Amino acid sequence: ALPISHLFRSLKGASESKWPPRSPDPAPAMKSKCSVSCSRRKNRKAHFTAPSHIRRKLMSAPLSKDLRTKYSVRSLPIRRDDEVMIVRGHFHDREGKVTQVYRKKFRIHIERVTRDKANGQTVPIPIHPSKVVITKLKLDKDRKALLDRKSQAAKKGKDAA
């Protein structure tokens, strides 16, 4: 009678499988926050289904060099009467005032950045806020308070480092 042990894989052979290829260090890196997902799918879903108050923060734009040194703040959520300069794309180096913040589409409309349609109507061209630089801020009391808060946090961070 033939032994049947040759029909079963040994444990050693099963663990040394060639596929899928293994990384040299199989231990995964620890996540810094267990409540935040690393999954691309979940992050995209969170981004595109975000409510309006979170879209406001997602639609932040960097400040120009002189505003950055003046307020010691790097970026701010964009708002309606800010003056911006486009730094990327077909319309780069154009300056204008923000006429509309279109949170539903994650875009802003800037005056004099338009195109003519075939029927003669002019329509604004939507620009993503990350592709502009804020050159002049529309300040009110809430915005001033936000700037103070952010600059205080930046000063605390520099003191700790």
Side-chain angles (χ1 to χ4, degrees):
L2 288 168
I4 60 168
S5 60
H6 71 279
L7 299 175
F8 299 105
R9 281 188 175 173
S10 67
L11 289 175
K12 185 179 176 191
S15 65
E16 291 178 2
S17 163
K18 298 280 188 263
W19 194 258
R22 306 273 175 174
S23 62
D25 188 283
M30 288 287 289
K31 283 177 23 174
S32 57
K33 256 190 179 177
C34 63
S35 61
V36 176
S37 174
C38 299
S39 165
R40 174 177 162 86
R41 177 166 79 172
K42 288 181 184 178
N43 276 308
R44 284 177 58 82
K45 184 180 182 188
H47 182 273
F48 291 111
T49 61
S52 181
H53 70 286
I54 293 172
R55 284 181 186 231
R56 176 181 165 269
K57 282 190 90 169
L58 291 172
M59 294 179 69
S60 291
L63 268 58
S64 64
K65 290 267 195 315
D66 54 331
L67 286 179
R68 200 186 302 178
T69 54
K70 182 179 178 182
Y71 295 112
S72 64
V73 172
R74 189 171 185 84
S75 67
L76 276 181
I78 204 151
R79 64 161 293 173
R80 189 161 172 231
D81 288 321
D82 287 343
E83 288 185 24
V84 297
M85 185 172 88
I86 303 172
V87 292
R88 287 282 182 275
H90 186 268
F91 295 95
H92 71 92
D93 293 333
R94 293 262 191 105
E95 291 195 50
K97 192 179 276 194
V98 176
T99 56
Q100 183 185 15
V101 178
Y102 205 151
R103 287 189 194 171
K104 186 177 180 183
K105 290 189 173 180
F106 289 103
R107 297 291 184 268
I108 60 172
H109 293 162
I110 301 165
E111 68 183 19
R112 296 189 305 277
V113 180
T114 57
R115 71 183 310 228
D116 296 327
K117 287 173 60 170
N119 64 5
Q121 186 182 6
T122 60
V123 289
I125 292 190
I127 307 281
H128 195 272
S130 67
K131 307 303 176 197
V132 301
V133 166
I134 300 174
T135 54
K136 191 175 177 191
L137 291 169
K138 167 93 157 80
L139 286 174
D140 56 4
K141 63 178 179 63
D142 294 327
R143 208 111 189 260
K144 283 178 183 168
L146 175 68
L147 282 167
D148 291 339
R149 251 191 345 264
K150 285 187 92 168
S151 63
Q152 290 298 323
K155 284 176 186 168
K156 275 187 184 174
K158 283 186 180 175
D159 294 340

